[in-house]
Amino acid sequence: MNIAANIGPALTLDVADAESIAELRRHAEGCARCDLYRNATQLVFGEGPDKAEIALVGEQPGDREDITGRPFVGPAGHLLDHCLEEAGLDRQRCYVTNAVKHFKFTPRGKRRLHAKPNAGEIRRCAWWLGAELNLLQPKLVVALGATALYALLGPKVKLTPERGHILQPTNRPPVLVTIHPSYLLRIRDEAEQHRQRRQFVSDLHKAAAFQLR
């Protein structure tokens, strides 16, 4: 486990105050801290046990999540479920959330194409992510992709060199760095996709070890 000298906005900025995840979710429903709420269907908050030992943090809701109001229920979410199962990690015992709670997209005809959240939007939404983690006090946080990593550990910690490593911020839960499952869906080369998937499952095995402690 490596010491992380830097921590990101979700762990350093002022965050929302609530007595429970349910209360925090109610407060978040009317969030207008950035402009993303204007075009999104609804806020997509985290879900899972209030005492979850593992918190999985992704980037933002996608089209399917925006419609249903639940995190990780689209194609990337289904792939994540399969990889968690392969790794021996029970999603029902994890808390699953995103760094940004509203869907950011670019309209393209009838389709809504994913658009990456910017630093300001991530920092604004850290108000909720930081509060979620404060309430959960998980044994381990899994950063799924670069946006989650930025929210948790700041801009100086890069995904590629730290992938598969567990970093320990001072006085905060350790953070396991890995890819977002949507990355696997974008790989066209079949052999490379299988290789990256095996590595992703291997990363998740490390989270499973924390759940068994």
Side-chain angles (χ1 to χ4, degrees), residues 61-73:
D63 183 79
R64 187 64 184 163
E65 290 80 7
D66 176 69
I67 293 169
T68 63
R70 297 185 58 211
F72 282 96
V73 294

Side-chain angles (χ1 to χ4, degrees), residues 20-30 43 45-48 95:
S20 67
I21 292 290
E23 180 185 348
L24 186 66
R25 183 182 291 107
R26 289 194 297 272
H27 292 335
E29 288 297 333
L43 176 134
F45 207 71
E47 65 178 27
Y95 186 85

Side-chain angles (χ1 to χ4, degrees), residues 187-196 198:
I187 300 174
R188 297 305 177 200
D189 182 80
E190 187 174 346
E192 176 63 8
Q193 186 184 69
H194 284 309
R195 187 184 74 82
Q196 290 287 348
R198 286 195 301 270

Side-chain angles (χ1 to χ4, degrees), residues 3-23:
I3 300 296
N6 303 289
I7 53 178
L11 304 182
T12 56
L13 299 179
D14 289 338
V15 300
D17 184 32
E19 295 296 322
S20 67
I21 292 290
E23 180 185 348

Side-chain angles (χ1 to χ4, degrees), residues 91-153:
R91 173 168 168 163
Q92 299 305 312
R93 294 177 58 196
C94 299
Y95 186 85
V96 183
T97 192
N98 283 296
V100 172
K101 312 300 190 200
H102 285 107
F103 181 30
K104 182 178 182 179
F105 61 91
T106 301
R108 186 71 56 82
K110 293 183 178 180
R111 299 177 62 200
R112 301 188 299 174
L113 302 183
H114 168 276
K116 188 177 180 65
N118 62 40
E121 290 156 352
I122 296 168
R123 292 177 69 84
R124 289 287 186 177
C125 218
W127 175 260
W128 305 114
L129 177 59
E132 287 174 292
L133 297 178
N134 283 348
L135 287 166
L136 289 168
Q137 294 292 305
K139 285 183 178 179
L140 179 72
V141 181
V142 181
L144 298 169
T147 297
L149 185 59
Y150 176 93
L152 294 164
L153 297 180

Side-chain angles (χ1 to χ4, degrees), residues 61-89:
D63 183 79
R64 187 64 184 163
E65 290 80 7
D66 176 69
I67 293 169
T68 63
R70 297 185 58 211
F72 282 96
V73 294
H78 292 314
L79 179 56
L80 175 63
D81 289 348
H82 291 308
C83 291
L84 288 171
E85 185 176 356
E86 289 178 40
L89 195 59

